[in-house]
Amino acid sequence: MSDAMHSHLERFPEGAIEVAQGRILGFNRAAHSQLPELAVGMETPEFLSGSLSDPEGAGTFSHNGALYLFSRVSGRERDLLLFRPAPQSSLTQRQLDGFVRQMRGFLQDILLEFESVSGPGRDGMDTFSKSFCRVYRLLSNLDFLRAMGSPEGVPFRPVTMDLAGLCRRLTQEAGFLLEEAGIRLTFRCSLPSLLIPGDPELLQKLILALLSNAAKAAPGGQVVLSLSSRGGRALLTLGDSGQELAGGSLEALFSGGQPEGQIPPPQEGAGMGLTIARHIVSLHGGALLLEERGGGLFAVVSLPTGPLDPRLTVQSPRTEEAGGLSPALVELSDVLPLSLFQMDEE
């Protein structure tokens, strides 16, 4: 081992490795403690090869489930590779799963207890109910992002579904709620139905999230959702006037690309919504464009309309995670007035 320890490499506090012509020339004790398989004269391990060829000369590499940060100094005859473990979060996936599961239970217990103490028509119940819905939406978004990062991924169960029917139902429910907030929601679609392969619950979350963002930014208190079919794809547009997308951007959407729009900066929230929306669209093989127009939000979603599964499918009920709360009420809670959160008088 002493042959491997070059005195000049020991001056570095992080791991240091010298490489020439694809072989290890030497390394310090810090490098050996983290990568004990290293040996002088051995061929450069595959997990280090990318670090030595990276044109940026800095980045990350993974080995045995651990992530490392590296920087490289290249010379005429040899390369010096410096590396150290990347900062890791102390929160494990199992702990995060447990947090989400327990938090859902705690929130339901809090709601039931508060209802029993306050009762219908009591002061503060409407404020509490709105805050509860906003917290529940935040928790649901966190749970979605947790699933995105898990090995299993977000549950995706596509069936042959009627997108036009889903939009009509959601705009009817959301339109009633938004009307109380002084926002008029209009749905425009000349098609009696539009069948696509999709996951109804994920697409419901997508549409409600886009409606919520559009309602927050709606100039003049108007939001228009339009649905049409073009070139074998379903086209959903959401804005304050029902205007359509320009030809060039439309072609990019239909080709399956992700055109970069001018994304309005988030004025509040945790910044989860756009990530979730893009992931849902990606699961469906679609494309999403968001941009700011005249102070309002303009969104376009392109989804494939086939191939459809000709077989009849039985949709098993999923686990109820909203505690009986209306998904529209939860997703739109930021823009809805307190009056909608009052308990009914018995």
Side-chain angles (χ1 to χ4, degrees), residues 14-209:
E14 63 267 66
I17 305 174
E18 275 190 329
V19 180
Q21 298 180 350
R23 293 189 175 273
I24 303 294
L25 293 184
F27 47 87
N28 62 4
R29 290 186 178 86
H32 187 260
S33 66
Q34 297 175 69
L35 306 175
E37 64 269 39
L38 292 180
V40 172
M42 71 180 293
E43 291 187 2
T44 305
E46 184 176 353
F47 63 86
L48 290 178
S49 300
S51 307
L52 294 168
S53 60
D54 191 296
E56 299 296 330
T60 64
F61 68 86
S62 299
H63 181 53
N64 290 338
L67 184 67
Y68 297 89
L69 304 177
F70 77 85
S71 59
R72 186 186 72 249
V73 180
S74 298
R76 291 184 178 180
E77 299 180 353
R78 63 186 65 186
D79 291 328
L80 174 64
L81 190 68
L82 304 176
F83 69 96
R84 66 182 186 277
Q88 298 289 327
S89 170
S90 59
L91 184 64
T92 66
Q93 187 68 32
R94 182 178 179 182
Q95 289 171 329
L96 184 57
D97 290 346
F99 163 80
V100 172
R101 185 172 55 254
Q102 290 188 65
M103 182 60 75
R104 288 189 186 279
F106 292 158
L107 284 174
Q108 290 302 315
D109 291 342
I110 291 172
L111 180 61
L112 292 174
E113 183 65 24
F114 196 89
E115 287 178 349
S116 65
V117 173
S118 297
R122 299 290 182 85
D123 292 339
M125 188 60 203
D126 48 1
T127 303
F128 172 83
S129 296
K130 178 170 181 173
S131 298
F132 180 88
C133 288
R134 298 176 75 179
V135 171
Y136 217 100
R137 188 191 70 250
L138 185 64
L139 179 64
S140 296
N141 287 344
L142 175 63
D143 194 23
F144 193 101
L145 294 178
R146 175 203 61 78
M148 283 176 55
S150 69
E152 298 80 13
V154 175
F156 179 51
R157 305 179 182 93
V159 297
T160 298
M161 58 165 288
D162 180 12
L163 182 59
L166 175 65
C167 290
R168 287 190 177 94
R169 178 177 63 80
L170 290 179
T171 50
Q172 183 178 11
E173 183 178 358
F176 169 77
L177 296 173
L178 290 173
E179 186 177 356
E180 296 296 315
I183 299 171
R184 182 161 57 93
L185 173 60
T186 303
F187 178 54
R188 297 177 182 173
C189 179
S190 60
L191 303 171
S193 64
L194 181 55
L195 298 181
I196 68 167
D199 186 312
E201 291 196 20
L202 290 182
L203 290 178
Q204 172 178 277
K205 184 175 182 64
L206 169 70
I207 294 171
L208 287 176

Side-chain angles (χ1 to χ4, degrees), residues 188 222-226 237-245 298:
R188 297 177 182 173
Q222 174 172 284
V223 175
V224 179
L225 176 66
S226 301
T237 61
L238 185 67
D240 63 324
S241 62
Q243 58 186 323
E244 297 185 352
L245 192 63
F298 183 71

Side-chain angles (χ1 to χ4, degrees), residues 289-330:
L289 169 70
L290 289 174
E291 62 181 23
E292 191 176 10
R293 290 188 179 180
L297 177 68
F298 183 71
V300 185
V301 178
S302 168
L303 299 171
T305 55
L308 300 176
D309 190 342
R311 298 171 299 174
L312 293 177
T313 56
V314 178
Q315 291 183 255
S316 301
R318 299 190 188 181
T319 303
E320 171 58 53
E321 295 183 341
L325 296 171
S326 162
L329 189 69
V330 171

